[in-house]
Amino acid sequence: MKKILTILAIALGISAAAVAQPKAIGGRLGYQTEVSYQHYLGNPNFLEVTAGFDFNSLAQNDFGFLATATYNFTFAQPNWTDRGTWAWYAGPGIATGWVNDKVVWKPAEGVKEVYHPQGFMIGLAGQVGLSYTFWFPLQLSVSLRPVVGMHISAPVKEKNTGAVIVDSKANFYDGGVTWNWTPTLSVHYAF
C-alpha cells in the first residue's frame, strides 16, 4: 500500500510540475495555416507543436496536412521596451505530413514532365524567430521554419484511362526549402 501511495504522490507531483509551466496556444499564418501549442520546458526554452493544412495541396485540389515539432532555445531577450518581453529563439525539430510535391519525370522519349502528386513527407525542421509577449496574455512572433526531407509520392495516373504514368517515387521534399522560407506570423494566448 505504501508503494502505491508513493507512486501516486510522485505521479501527482510530476503532473503538477508540468501544469505549472507556462504555455501558449494559438495559430501560425504564412504559407501554411497551422494551429500551434507551446510548452515551456525550462524557461525560457520551449517545445512547439504545430498542425495545419498544406496550401500546395489545396492549390492542386487535394487535401494535405503537415505536423511539426521543434525544441526552441531562447538565445537572447533584449530589453527594447519598458513593458512586455522580447525573445530571439531558434531550434531543431521534425516534420511529417501528407502533401503534394513536385516530381520530375523524364520518359524514354526524353521529354521532361513535371507532376505534383500527393505523398508522405518526413524531414528535419529548423526554426528561427523573434517573439514579443505583452504584459497581458498575448504573444506575437515572426519566424522562419525550413524543412529538409523526403517525399514518397503516390503513383501518378492518367485521368482518362487510369493507367500509371509515374510509379511511386522517393524524392527530395522541394516545398520544405522553397515555400517554407516564407516568414510566418504567430498569435498566441499565453497562460
Side-chain angles (χ1 to χ4, degrees):
M1 185 68 168
K2 287 183 181 181
K3 289 181 183 180
I4 293 173
L5 289 175
T6 304
I7 291 171
L8 286 174
I10 291 171
L12 184 61
I14 291 171
S15 298
V19 170
Q21 299 298 319
K23 296 173 253 334
I25 190 164
R28 290 174 46 112
L29 181 61
Y31 178 64
Q32 288 102 9
T33 300
E34 301 170 303
V35 175
S36 171
Y37 174 74
Q38 295 177 350
H39 189 90
Y40 288 80
L41 300 172
N43 208 8
N45 302 332
F46 62 95
L47 173 71
E48 182 173 21
V49 178
T50 63
F53 297 111
D54 177 48
F55 282 171
N56 191 28
S57 296
L58 294 176
Q60 304 294 328
N61 293 324
D62 290 323
F63 172 77
F65 72 91
L66 288 168
T68 306
T70 57
Y71 184 80
N72 297 287
F73 299 94
T74 300
F75 59 87
Q77 291 182 306
N79 191 13
W80 290 334
T81 56
D82 293 336
R83 299 176 79 181
T85 56
W86 290 89
W88 285 100
Y89 59 90
I94 57 171
T96 188
W98 183 258
V99 298
N100 280 54
D101 200 36
K102 182 171 75 172
V103 173
V104 178
W105 178 252
K106 191 172 184 179
E109 297 85 40
V111 179
K112 183 170 77 169
E113 298 180 35
V114 177
Y115 299 98
H116 291 271
Q118 282 197 307
F120 176 73
M121 181 276 297
I122 188 163
L124 299 175
Q127 180 166 280
V128 62
L130 172 66
S131 70
Y132 178 70
T133 304
F134 290 85
W135 53 97
F136 50 91
L138 176 65
Q139 179 189 65
L140 298 177
S141 61
V142 176
S143 63
L144 297 173
R145 191 181 59 203
V147 176
V148 176
M150 294 298 296
H151 180 255
I152 303 167
S153 64
V156 177
K157 296 183 180 182
E158 191 176 83
K159 291 181 181 178
N160 297 335
T161 64
V164 174
I165 301 170
V166 179
D167 287 328
S168 180
K169 294 177 73 172
N171 294 299
F172 180 74
Y173 174 55
D174 291 324
V177 293
T178 53
W179 298 110
N180 285 11
W181 280 100
T182 305
T184 59
L185 173 67
S186 298
V187 178
H188 289 96
Y189 169 71
F191 56 99

